């Protein structure tokens, strides 16, 4: 299996499986001299960690990161950084019944069709457990960003769970970290929790979600025309996350309903001599290049396919069967997808910052 690496200059290769002894990431291209310890990475892994509340999977993993290389006396050396996270709470016996059965909605059947074999223990490499490695790698990216572009701030949150959406008139940045759903609308939280608990306990079902990730303070000029677009790489990064089925930037799909007058963000000169915009339908990116506005990305996550409701499928021998997926699963994977979306945004922004630094040296066209 190839193609386990993403990024151009800041490159991340993830490795490991859901029920193997460990998983992790090799981070190559991080600049030297960036302060980095395991304590700098751990808070981001803690944010994604399973089993923290009743609304996520009850698998208990400490997700303790270990730095094996690339750091000396608390600073990056410019050489590859090897990160490892040990698996400690695997329950492979939960998957014994499906060793020869394809779970509907999972990658079981396509992995078998492509490779002729698969790790049926929790999905192996296709498991969302792999995203822990990405979050760890993004901890490195965040440290580098804090040194190279200290104004950059990345924040993710859920804006929709099934048919339930937030009220944007009640949007509160401070509410995001105060509830299990990373929801910016505190008034929606109890309704969401009641619904999710009913779905899991009584309906034996799951539900999809929409995640929004915003990158503030990104300097204008990141990205390149045509094949090096910043939004191209953001979209690819988000789409690579397990269970993601759609990605949009700025107004996204809703732009199809707008007219040209509505959609074009008018430009003015600000009091500080910098351009300001009347709106942000473009999501902070024009022609593949950052404008200096907030970069806004949304992605849709499908419902968890592992549910206790029986679903029809087939076995490897082609015979029909009915599948009830046991094990510990998220009733809404969107909750733990929030820190993963933040992680991918951090990696892409740093990657493009390094690319721009190499191409232009930070020189910018002057206005006014």
């Amino acid at each position: 299996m190839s193609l386990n690496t993403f990024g151009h200059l800041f490159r991340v290769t993830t490795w490991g499986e859901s029920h193997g002894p460990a998983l992790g990431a090799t981070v190559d291209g991080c600049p030297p001299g960036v302060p980095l310890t395991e304590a700098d990475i751990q808070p981001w892994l803690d944010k994604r960690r399973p089993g923290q509340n009743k609304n996520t999977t009850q698998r208990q993993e400490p997700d303790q990161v270990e730095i094996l290389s690339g750091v000396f006396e608390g600073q990056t050396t410019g050489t590859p950084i090897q990160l490892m996270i040990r698996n400690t709470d695997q329950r492979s016996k939960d998957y014994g019944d499906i060793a020869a059965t394809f779970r509907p909605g999972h990658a079981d059947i396509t992995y078998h069709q492509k490779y002729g074999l698969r790790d049926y223990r929790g999905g192996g490499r296709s498991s969302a457990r792999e995203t822990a490695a990405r979050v760890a790698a993004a901890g490195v990216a965040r440290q580098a960003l804090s040194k190279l572009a200290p104004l950059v701030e990345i924040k993710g949150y859920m804006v929709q769970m099934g048919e339930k959406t937030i009220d944007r008139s009640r949007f509160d940045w401070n509410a995001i970290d105060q509830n299990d759903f990373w929801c910016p609308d505190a008034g929606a939280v109890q309704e969401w929790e009641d619904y999710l608990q009913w779905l899991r306990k009584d309906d034996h079902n799951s539900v999809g979600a929409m995640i929004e990730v915003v990158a503030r303070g990104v300097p204008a000029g990141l990205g390149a025309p045509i094949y090096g677009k910043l939004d191209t790489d953001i979209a690819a990064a988000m789409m690579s996350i397990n269970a993601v089925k759609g990605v949009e930037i700025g107004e996204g799909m809703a732009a199809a309903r707008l007219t040209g007058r509505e959609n074009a963000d008018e430009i003015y000169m600000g009091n500080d001599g910098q351009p300001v915009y009347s709106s942000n339908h473009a999501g902070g990116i024009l022609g593949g290049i950052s404008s200096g506005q907030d970069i806004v990305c949304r992605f849709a996550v499908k419902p968890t396919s592992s549910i206790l409701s029986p679903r029809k499928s087939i076995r490897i021998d082609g015979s029909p069967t009915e599948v009830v997926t046991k094990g510990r699963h998220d009733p809404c994977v969107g909750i733990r997808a929030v820190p993963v979306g933040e992680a991918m945004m951090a990696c892409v922004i740093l990657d493009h910052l390094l690319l721009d630094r190499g191409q232009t040296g930070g020189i910018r066209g002057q206005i006014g």
Side-chain angles (χ1 to χ4, degrees):
M1 181 187 292
S2 58
L3 302 174
N4 292 285
T5 301
F6 67 90
H8 303 283
L9 293 186
F10 183 80
R11 293 175 62 79
V12 176
T13 302
T14 67
W15 53 269
E17 293 82 34
S18 173
H19 285 233
L23 49 83
T26 304
V27 179
D28 200 6
C30 180
V34 174
L36 183 68
T37 67
E38 290 157 348
D40 295 317
I41 300 172
Q42 195 60 49
W44 307 113
L45 281 164
D46 290 344
K47 186 173 180 178
R48 179 212 160 275
R49 185 168 53 83
Q52 297 191 73
N53 60 70
K54 61 184 178 182
N55 295 303
T56 62
T57 174
Q58 293 308 293
R59 179 170 175 171
Q60 297 293 325
E61 291 285 359
D63 281 355
Q64 198 71 40
V65 67
E66 300 174 44
I67 299 176
L68 305 184
S69 68
V71 176
F72 179 67
E73 294 183 343
Q75 294 189 82
T76 59
T77 61
T79 59
I81 301 168
Q82 185 76 354
L83 306 173
M84 183 171 70
I85 303 163
R86 299 182 189 275
N87 291 323
T88 64
D89 191 26
Q90 310 98 311
R91 282 199 338 210
S92 300
K93 61 182 177 59
D94 287 341
Y95 299 91
D97 293 342
I98 62 163
T101 300
F102 302 122
R103 295 169 296 172
H106 279 275
D108 298 345
I109 192 166
T110 50
Y111 266 53
H112 178 77
Q113 287 172 312
K114 183 173 180 66
Y115 300 109
L117 52 85
R118 64 185 175 90
D119 183 348
Y120 59 83
R121 304 165 304 165
R125 184 73 177 144
S126 68
S127 170
R129 178 91 184 114
E130 180 269 345
T131 61
R134 306 181 191 211
V135 174
V140 178
R142 288 179 188 263
Q143 285 296 106
L145 282 171
S146 69
K147 180 176 181 178
L148 301 177
L151 297 181
V152 171
E153 178 187 1
I154 297 168
K155 195 73 173 176
Y157 41 89
M158 281 181 63
V159 296
Q160 183 174 347
M161 186 177 69
E163 295 293 330
K164 300 185 181 300
T165 61
I166 66 168
D167 181 346
R168 289 204 177 253
S169 69
R170 299 193 304 233
F171 194 105
D172 180 4
W173 287 98
N174 294 323
I176 295 171
D177 294 323
Q178 304 303 316
N179 62 82
D180 295 345
F181 298 93
W182 313 111
C183 178
D185 176 6
V189 172
Q190 190 59 56
E191 181 185 3
W192 285 21
E193 181 165 320
D194 292 344
Y195 172 64
L196 193 61
Q197 288 304 308
W198 170 82
L199 203 69
R200 180 176 67 87
K201 294 179 179 179
D202 301 326
D203 200 37
H204 297 154
N205 212 341
S206 62
V207 70
M210 183 79 75
I211 313 303
E212 190 166 278
V213 182
V214 175
R216 294 168 150 179
V218 176
L222 302 192
I226 315 300
Y227 303 115
K229 292 182 176 181
L230 178 58
D231 41 356
T232 297
D233 283 348
I234 290 173
M238 299 304 176
M239 189 58 110
S240 75
I241 300 171
N242 310 65
V244 172
K245 301 302 288 184
V247 182
E248 59 184 22
I249 307 293
E251 202 66 39
M253 299 299 178
R257 298 196 298 264
L258 301 179
T259 66
R261 281 197 302 268
E262 292 170 322
N263 186 68
D265 302 313
E266 294 183 298
I267 311 170
Y268 306 90
M269 285 302 291
N271 294 330
D272 59 355
Q274 297 298 315
V276 295
Y277 297 80
S278 62
S279 51
N280 192 16
H281 297 294
I285 301 172
L286 293 165
I289 301 171
S290 61
S291 66
Q293 289 185 280
D294 290 353
I295 293 175
V296 182
C297 173
R298 280 177 299 281
F299 59 90
V301 180
K302 71 176 184 177
T304 313
S305 299
S306 296
I307 55 177
L308 290 173
S309 297
R311 308 301 296 161
K312 296 186 184 302
S313 187
I314 58 173
R315 301 183 182 91
I316 290 178
D317 63 9
S319 61
T321 187
E322 203 170 56
V323 179
V324 175
T325 307
K326 300 176 183 178
R328 298 160 293 178
H329 307 286
D330 291 284
C332 177
V333 292
I335 298 173
R336 292 201 299 128
V338 169
V340 183
E342 291 181 345
M344 298 309 288
M345 180 70 83
C347 290
V348 173
I349 296 297
L350 175 61
D351 193 27
H352 274 267
L353 186 72
L354 296 174
L355 285 167
D356 175 70
R357 191 169 68 165
Q359 183 184 32
T360 71
I363 298 173
R364 290 289 180 264
Q366 297 303 306
I367 299 175

